[in-house]
Amino acid sequence: MLNWLSRLFRPKALYEAADPRGPNGPHRSWRDGRDGDATVAMAGERLRRQARHLDQNHDISRGAIDKLCQFVVGPNGIAIEPLPKDMDGKIHRGFADALLELWNDWAEWPEVTWEHDWVSTQLLIARSLFRDGEVLVQLISGDMPSLDHGTRVPLSLELIEADQLPLDFNDPSRGITQGVERNAWGRPRAYHVYKTHPGAPFGFGGTVGFSGDLKRIPSENLLHLKLTDRIKQARGVTQLASVIRRLTEIKNYEDSERIAAEIAANMTAYIKKTIPELMPDSYSYESDSKPRSFDFVPGMVFDSLRPGEDVGLIDNKRPNPQVEAFRKGQLRAASGGFRVGYSSLAHDYDGSYSSQRQELIEQQSLYEILSAAVIGQLVRPVWQRFVGDAILSKAVKVPSNVNPLTTNRAAFQAPAMPWIDPLKEVQATAEAINNRLLSPQQAIRARRGHPDEVLQQLSDWYQQLADLKIPAGSSNPPSQGDPNVPVVSNSRRR
């Protein structure tokens, strides 16, 4: 009676999911009340190693990371358009061109090893970020005896893998959590980084390279790119964290199906023999104890079967016709955790134009979110340091009419959304410009163009046409001295 009354008057949980018994039967109730740092401390390194294993050995995982780099950074990198302003609030073209010229020179040798230009440096950093969840970039400015910057602006980048920022280095008295030294508000002050990679087997001198020595790098000289889900989380977590288990199971399942199909291809037939009581008296199984085999060729005829024997074919239902459907379903579910569109992940482009464009539009927003993270954590800080070092080193002189608060202003252009039907896209853009819903500058920047460069190139092109007396609408040069060929004016068409 008391048990029945206790169940009747038992207070119900506000959320049914929080009740481990639940209205529809018992279910597991997770009670993880740890903060983000404690969670990463227990699982971060293991997740990073599993993600690297999948990147090295699983084609789907590697392809997904490639797609993220393609859509977030792009084959040409995140473009930069300097936008310093004069005292009247207008773009100072001369200073912008001078900065862009220095930037193009620096972009050839931006990092300390001279093995990567700026585009490949961005792609390598992005790949490490998505796979490992974090990556470090040290900013090295000024003249150093042991370092040749190789560019007019004395700035170089040193790329550091997440392994060199120890997860197990904590000192609460100094505000150090997992290698990150923070103030009372949680702002990073410095990073304690291993001088060498802990996985390096040997140093240059032939001795063990890793000694466990740490160096303290102030936060103003080190960029810590990381993927986080929790507030004040010190370390990042791989983008594959939520799909690692599914990807591993897909890989194991596909491996099993391939092995089964290979076995099925090798196992062809067997000889069926009837029971001895039904065999002729003159035949003896003892006299036929040696194993036999037949060499299969197209169109062969079995003419060496003995009395009571028949040929049986092995059918183990392989290849499994349901593998592709199962794989597509799993990839469709995994695409959300990857933040990669299903069509791009599975290379399945069978949908209509409308469906593919809808998927592309929805997915583009996720790519732009990741692009904004790369711009905010890498590209913008590097540009700001570059402009400051260019001015301090006197590689460029700031004109007197430039607003000093805008010297490092710039527009950062992430990869543009691909076109499915270029003709329709161009027509839609033209209509938007004609109806004043979009400016030509916005349209040019949306395609990763530089408006000033486009205008200059158009001006040069029409000047060349005029010099050669080629009509602007013609694709073939006119014959020399043709009086019927009009001379093209040098004025810019509007």
Side-chain angles (χ1 to χ4, degrees):
M1 184 67 177
L2 291 177
N3 291 336
W4 180 83
L5 289 174
S6 62
R7 289 196 302 269
L8 179 64
F9 294 104
R10 183 182 62 198
K12 295 183 178 180
L14 181 60
Y15 295 100
E16 292 179 351
D19 187 351
R21 285 155 294 197
N24 300 318
H27 69 280
R28 183 177 297 175
S29 178
W30 297 103
R31 299 179 178 86
D32 188 0
R34 297 167 295 184
D35 67 355
D37 291 340
T39 303
V40 174
M42 297 189 64
E45 185 174 355
R46 194 180 314 120
L47 289 173
R48 185 167 64 234
R49 291 181 178 179
Q50 292 184 51
R52 287 178 179 173
H53 174 78
L54 289 173
D55 182 28
Q56 294 169 346
N57 300 283
H58 192 207
D59 49 3
I60 296 176
S61 303
R62 187 171 186 83
I65 298 175
D66 288 341
K67 287 296 181 182
L68 281 176
C69 295
Q70 173 186 343
F71 291 123
V72 173
V73 174
N76 299 315
I78 294 175
I80 298 177
E81 179 186 355
L83 296 175
K85 294 184 178 181
D86 57 22
M87 294 303 180
D88 296 329
K90 297 180 180 179
I91 305 299
H92 197 290
R93 303 297 179 189
F95 187 54
D97 292 342
L99 288 176
L100 190 59
E101 181 184 357
L102 283 175
W103 176 262
N104 291 334
D105 171 73
W106 179 84
E108 296 183 9
W109 314 99
E111 52 90 40
V112 293
T113 67
W114 288 19
E115 294 181 347
H116 305 282
D117 61 9
W118 176 235
V119 175
S120 60
T121 297
Q122 291 181 77
L123 291 172
L124 185 59
I125 292 174
R127 185 172 200 87
S128 300
L129 175 65
F130 300 139
R131 182 194 59 224
D132 301 342
E134 56 184 345
V135 63
L136 303 148
V137 180
Q138 184 177 3
L139 307 175
I140 305 174
S141 301
D143 296 332
M144 297 185 64
S146 60
L147 176 62
D148 181 6
H149 294 288
T151 57
R152 285 180 282 174
V153 177
L155 172 66
S156 294
L157 309 179
E158 182 187 10
L159 310 187
I160 303 174
E161 284 197 314
D163 308 70
Q164 289 184 241
L165 187 63
L167 268 170
D168 57 354
F169 181 57
N170 301 282
D171 189 347
S173 63
R174 299 163 59 190
I176 301 175
T177 302
Q178 298 170 359
V180 182
E181 181 180 330
R182 298 181 288 188
N183 63 14
W185 294 96
R187 178 186 301 173
R189 291 186 304 219
Y191 296 85
H192 296 262
V193 181
Y194 287 131
K195 294 181 179 180
T196 57
H197 195 288
F202 301 103
F204 291 108
T207 58
V208 177
F210 178 66
S211 62
D213 293 336
L214 293 170
K215 60 180 178 179
R216 182 181 185 273
I217 304 177
S219 58
E220 58 266 21
N221 293 331
L222 191 136
L223 305 178
H224 184 198
L225 287 78
K226 57 181 179 179
L227 300 176
T228 59
D229 297 321
R230 303 284 296 275
I231 296 174
K232 293 186 178 181
Q233 183 176 320
R235 304 294 297 270
V237 177
T238 172
Q239 182 66 50
L240 280 65
S242 62
V243 294
I244 283 179
R245 183 172 180 178
R246 186 185 298 275
L247 292 173
T248 304
E249 291 172 350
I250 292 175
K251 183 179 183 301
N252 293 339
Y253 175 75
E254 290 179 336
D255 290 343
S256 300
E257 287 291 342
R258 282 196 298 269
I259 293 173
E262 183 179 356
I263 293 175
N266 289 311
M267 296 178 63
T268 55
Y270 61 94
I271 299 176
K272 297 189 296 185
K273 298 180 180 180
T274 59
I275 59 178
E277 289 77 3
L278 301 179
M279 295 293 295
D281 296 337
S282 60
Y283 182 78
S284 173
Y285 275 109
E286 287 74 9
S287 63
D288 186 38
S289 59
K290 296 181 180 180
R292 289 182 294 157
S293 63
F294 300 93
D295 294 330
F296 280 78
V297 295
M300 71 172 295
V301 177
F302 292 93
D303 58 353
S304 59
L305 293 178
R306 294 169 181 171
E309 292 182 343
D310 192 6
V311 175
L313 298 178
I314 298 176
D315 183 13
N316 60 0
K317 310 299 182 183
R318 292 295 187 277
N320 186 350
Q322 303 301 322
V323 170
E324 185 175 0
F326 171 80
R327 183 176 181 270
K328 285 184 176 181
Q330 294 300 306
L331 291 181
R332 194 178 298 276
S335 64
F338 262 128
R339 293 188 183 180
V340 175
Y342 163 74
S343 298
S344 299
L345 181 63
H347 297 278
D348 182 4
Y349 305 101
D350 295 336
S352 62
Y353 169 82
S354 299
S355 63
Q356 288 190 36
R357 179 169 174 77
Q358 181 66 28
E359 178 187 4
L360 195 60
I361 291 175
E362 293 181 0
Q363 196 63 36
Q364 184 66 20
S365 298
L366 294 178
Y367 297 144
E368 291 175 355
I369 291 174
L370 293 175
S371 295
V374 174
I375 291 172
Q377 299 183 40
L378 173 68
V379 183
R380 183 181 291 111
V382 169
W383 169 256
Q384 292 173 348
R385 173 64 72 89
F386 169 82
V387 174
D389 288 353
I391 296 173
L392 289 175
S393 64
K394 298 182 180 180
V396 66
K397 182 178 180 180
V398 182
S400 60
N401 61 338
V402 169
N403 187 339
L405 299 178
T406 66
T407 54
N408 57 15
R409 291 275 182 88
F412 304 95
Q413 301 164 10
M417 185 175 73
W419 282 344
I420 297 177
D421 190 328
L423 179 59
K424 293 181 181 179
E425 304 287 351
V426 171
Q427 291 174 343
T429 301
E431 286 294 323
I433 293 175
N434 292 335
N435 292 316
R436 295 179 174 83
L437 300 176
L438 188 70
S439 69
Q441 294 93 325
Q442 288 176 311
I444 293 173
R445 289 191 179 107
R447 304 310 309 166
R448 288 181 53 83
H450 193 307
D452 290 341
E453 290 183 356
V454 172
L455 287 176
Q456 185 62 47
Q457 291 172 8
L458 287 174
S459 177
D460 294 342
W461 175 249
Y462 287 121
Q463 181 62 53
Q464 293 181 52
L465 292 177
D467 294 341
L468 298 175
K469 298 181 179 180
I470 301 175
S474 174
S475 59
N476 299 317
S479 60
Q480 295 294 329
D482 189 346
N484 298 320
V485 175
V487 178
V488 179
S489 173
N490 192 29
S491 60
R492 186 177 297 163
R493 298 199 300 182
R494 299 183 182 275

